[in-house]
Structure formats: C-alpha cells, structure tokens
Amino acid sequence: MARYRSIQLFALLFVASLALSTVLAVQVTSQLTFAVHLTPEAAATLAGRIVVIREAGLALAAVLMLLVTFGASRSARGALAARWVLGVATSMAFLRGSGLVQPLPSHDGAIIVASAVQIALEGFAILLLYGEDANEWFVLRR
C-alpha cells in the first residue's frame, strides 16, 4: 500500500464513503415515493433501477479505488472524479432537492444529511488525489 499520507487518507475516507453509500442505497430506495404519479409497478421498477445504478457505481468505485491505491493509476483517478459527478446525480440529497422524490415517511432529514455527508466525504477523498503529495505517488509509480 502507498506510504504517502494523502493516498492513505484517500483510501480511508473513500472506504467510509462507500460504506455509507451502501447503507443509504439499501435503506432509502426501499422507501422511495416519487413526486410524479406512477403506478406501483412503475415506481418499484424505477426504485429497482436506481438501486442497480447505485450498486454498479459502488462496484466501479471500489475497483477504481484499488487501482489508485495499489496501482497508482492516473486514469482511475480521473474516472473517480467523473464517477463522483454521476454519484451526485443519483444521491438522495440531489433527488430530494430536485423534487423528484417525496419526503420519506421516517428520518427524512437525517437521510438527506447522511447523503450530503457521503457526497462531501467522497469528493474530499478524490480531491486529495490531486494534491502535491499524491502527484508524487502517481509519478514515482510510473
């Protein structure tokens, strides 16, 4: 594993972010109600697709994290930044803030705060990859 603090901190923060994202994806999507009128079957299908997208994003993020941490892959670093933008678009904070999802029956505020914290945590972890210390990691490993 990397001996650079920024890479170690990235790995720690990113794993925490992925764990929080996994919990949110599983807990929240089972309770989703959409702001547009959908039949129960269509709503279930849409919620299921959101779960699949989140799970695929989490798997991709885990693979990219391993490539960055153990392989010093610059391409994976760039892909993580792009994946973060897609993660924001499917986050509960964004879906609620844009009005696509109605308030959840329980713990709505806490879930939105947890989602925003997860997005910020992941974004900060990715920003660490663009610091001076991290740049040395990517150059030395080439």
Side-chain angles (χ1 to χ4, degrees), residues 44-66:
T45 300
L46 184 55
R49 288 182 181 167
I50 289 172
V51 169
V52 169
I53 290 168
R54 295 291 292 175
E55 289 172 352
L58 288 168
L60 175 64
V63 168
L64 292 173
M65 183 199 75
L66 292 173

Side-chain angles (χ1 to χ4, degrees), residues 31-110:
Q31 304 174 19
L32 281 182
T33 54
F34 297 95
V36 295
H37 295 293
L38 298 172
T39 64
E41 296 83 19
T45 300
L46 184 55
R49 288 182 181 167
I50 289 172
V51 169
V52 169
I53 290 168
R54 295 291 292 175
E55 289 172 352
L58 288 168
L60 175 64
V63 168
L64 292 173
M65 183 199 75
L66 292 173
L67 287 172
V68 165
T69 305
F70 296 107
S73 172
R74 287 181 175 209
S75 299
R77 176 178 65 170
L80 274 173
R83 196 214 69 84
W84 180 80
V85 173
L86 295 174
V88 169
T90 60
S91 72
M92 189 60 188
F94 178 79
L95 293 173
R96 276 281 289 116
S98 65
L100 294 173
V101 174
Q102 293 179 348
L104 296 172
S106 62
H107 309 295
D108 188 55

